Amino acid sequence: MIITAFIILMGVTMVVSAVFALHTKNLLMAVIAVGILSLFSSIIYLIMQAPDVAMTEAAIGAGLSTVIFLYALRRTTDRDVDDD
C-alpha cells in the first residue's frame, strides 16, 4: 500500500514536471524539470524490478542528457552575450 502510494506520488510529480518543462520560459528550469522527470522514472523502474533499465535511465536520461542540455544552454547563452 505504501509502495503504491509512493509510485502514484512520483507519477504525479513526473506529470507536473513534464507540464512545467513544456510551459516555462526559463530554459534552465525546463532542463532541471526534465532531469527530475528522468530521475523519478528511473526510481519507478527500480521499484518495478527492472534494475538494468533503471540504471540506464539514471545514467543516460537523468545524467548525460541533463549535462548535454546544460552545456548547450551555456554555449548558446555565451554566444548571446558576445553578440551584445
Side-chain angles (χ1 to χ4, degrees):
M1 182 67 181
I2 293 175
I3 298 293
T4 304
F6 185 67
I7 290 174
I8 290 172
L9 179 66
M10 291 185 71
V12 169
T13 305
M14 289 170 58
V15 170
V16 169
S17 294
V19 170
F20 178 76
L22 286 174
H23 291 288
T24 186
K25 299 291 182 191
N26 188 346
L27 292 178
L28 178 63
M29 296 303 290
V31 169
I32 291 172
V34 171
I36 289 171
L37 176 87
S38 295
L39 183 64
F40 283 1
S41 65
S42 69
I43 292 171
I44 288 177
Y45 288 141
L46 187 63
I47 291 171
M48 297 175 80
Q49 305 295 321
D52 52 344
V53 179
M55 288 183 355
T56 304
E57 179 65 27
I60 303 226
L64 185 63
S65 295
T66 303
V67 169
I68 289 173
F69 283 141
L70 289 175
Y71 179 72
L73 187 62
R74 183 166 187 258
R75 295 284 295 185
T76 56
T77 304
D78 288 343
R79 185 172 297 160
D80 288 342
V81 171
D82 291 340
D83 291 341
D84 291 339

